Amino acid sequence: MAWGVFALRRASALLRPGGGVQGIRRLNIHEYQSQELMASHGIVVPKGIAAHSVEECVKACEKLAGDEVVVKSQVLAGGRGLGSFTNGFKGGVHIVPKAQVAEVAGKMLGGTLVTKQSGAEGKPVNTLFICEKLKLTREMYMAIMLDRVTKGPLIIASAEGGTSIEDLARDSPEKIIKIPINPEVGMTEAQALELHKGLKVEAPASQSVPQLLKLYDLFDKADATMLEINPFGETAEGVICADAKLNFDDNAAFRQKEIFAMRDKSQEDPREARASEFDLNYIGLDGNIGCMVNGAGLAMATMDIIKLKGGTPANFLDVGGAANTDQITEAFKILTADKRVKAILVNIFGGIMKCDVIAQGIVDAAAAVGVPVPLVVRLEGTNVDAGKKILKESPVKIIDASDLDDAAQKAVAAIQ
């Protein structure tokens, strides 16, 4: 694949770090979905069955070899094994005799699992992945990610896997293998062999190298932004992808319809899921000043200055460079639905979308929603004077701000 085509396909991840309406959104899929996807590409994965009820869990055991199975909670958050359910049950991953699967599954299905990555609210467990217990002789780490420094795929690996790669990189950076991939040619057999040797794989290269090449092929063809295998294990039969995490670029949704059909909205913040339906980029935080901004960079600057002035942002919300009244209306609905929001700061730079058009959209949307908290608006850019005139003459009570510093001060003052 030519570099120019690769850059265009991966522009959101490589060339616009954090930028654009869809620039920072990524699709995550469950482990069982990742395993199914890899298996369809000829990659060796553990035998497992997704189950949605206790009865399905029991039936799954009948189809798997061995006396014990691994019962894995399917949530889109790391740290499952050390997590705790809100019902008091400990651990989101268990190795149990088949006779105990019904009991364990009953405590996990329908529960809420809290992990170090889920936040205090946790994630609902609607699916369990019942897997055959593996007899791993070694555990390694292997990942493919998009690297903004080389502007292409980067292999990150280590002969020590099954643990936190971040801790290993911090404490023993010399144990981390990094191999940049030329996107014009993809991973070569020579690079796969280099990785085989670096990981100290005991299986023959004739078995592991094809698997490594298939992993890269999946990463490339599926528009993945990350493919992480931890552990990349080894058994008596050879290498196996014992656990996997895949992320995909939302900008490729039109091209990867089957993959994006796997999206599990029950794992998402309802506000974020709702925002994505209107092409809004929303991330909920725990502050009390709601932010509505156009442009990811401006949104980050707005959040920073709110903090600098003594406030705390309640969210990141980028309405994009061509927001219409419907989008702004939905944005106000999402912001005002958060009971912690005590004021809203709208910070808009009018470029392609003129300030007077934006101002009328804000007024119409605010009137339709009925914003119950102080509303501070800062406009700058094309037709800014006409936009400010519309805000001033609006029947909706709006606090006008002259610049970003003034806007942040007024927003913070409004909640005191």
Side-chain angles (χ1 to χ4, degrees), residues 30-97:
H30 288 295
E31 177 191 0
Y32 78 92
Q33 296 169 322
S34 298
Q35 299 283 23
E36 291 172 355
L37 183 60
M38 290 193 297
S40 70
H41 281 72
I43 297 165
V44 180
V45 297
K47 187 174 181 180
I49 300 171
H52 308 283
S53 67
V54 173
E55 293 74 17
E56 289 183 4
C57 291
V58 173
K59 289 181 180 179
C61 290
E62 299 172 358
K63 301 176 183 178
L64 302 175
D67 298 324
E68 293 182 313
V69 292
V70 186
V71 183
K72 298 183 176 184
S73 300
Q74 297 300 283
V75 295
L76 297 180
R80 294 174 298 170
L82 298 177
S84 297
F85 287 83
T86 54
N87 61 12
F89 188 62
K90 303 295 183 182
V93 178
H94 291 268
I95 300 175
V96 297

Side-chain angles (χ1 to χ4, degrees), residues 128-208:
L128 296 178
F129 194 28
I130 314 299
C131 301
E132 287 184 356
K133 181 182 176 182
L134 294 174
K135 294 181 180 179
L136 296 178
T137 57
R138 293 189 61 238
E139 294 186 4
M140 301 158 281
Y141 176 91
M142 187 266 184
I144 311 173
M145 302 181 184
L146 291 180
D147 179 41
R148 290 193 180 114
V149 176
T150 61
K151 292 185 172 58
L154 178 69
I155 306 294
I156 300 176
S158 175
E160 297 182 16
T163 185
S164 172
I165 193 67
E166 295 87 358
D167 293 342
L168 184 66
R170 180 193 63 217
D171 300 333
S172 305
E174 72 281 359
K175 295 181 179 180
I176 303 299
I177 303 165
K178 293 184 179 181
I179 304 176
I181 303 298
N182 183 338
E184 291 188 12
V185 296
M187 181 190 283
T188 64
E189 286 194 17
Q191 289 174 318
L193 183 59
E194 177 187 353
L195 185 55
H196 165 89
K197 294 177 180 178
L199 292 174
K200 302 175 183 178
V201 178
E202 296 176 359
S206 59
Q207 194 271 342
S208 67

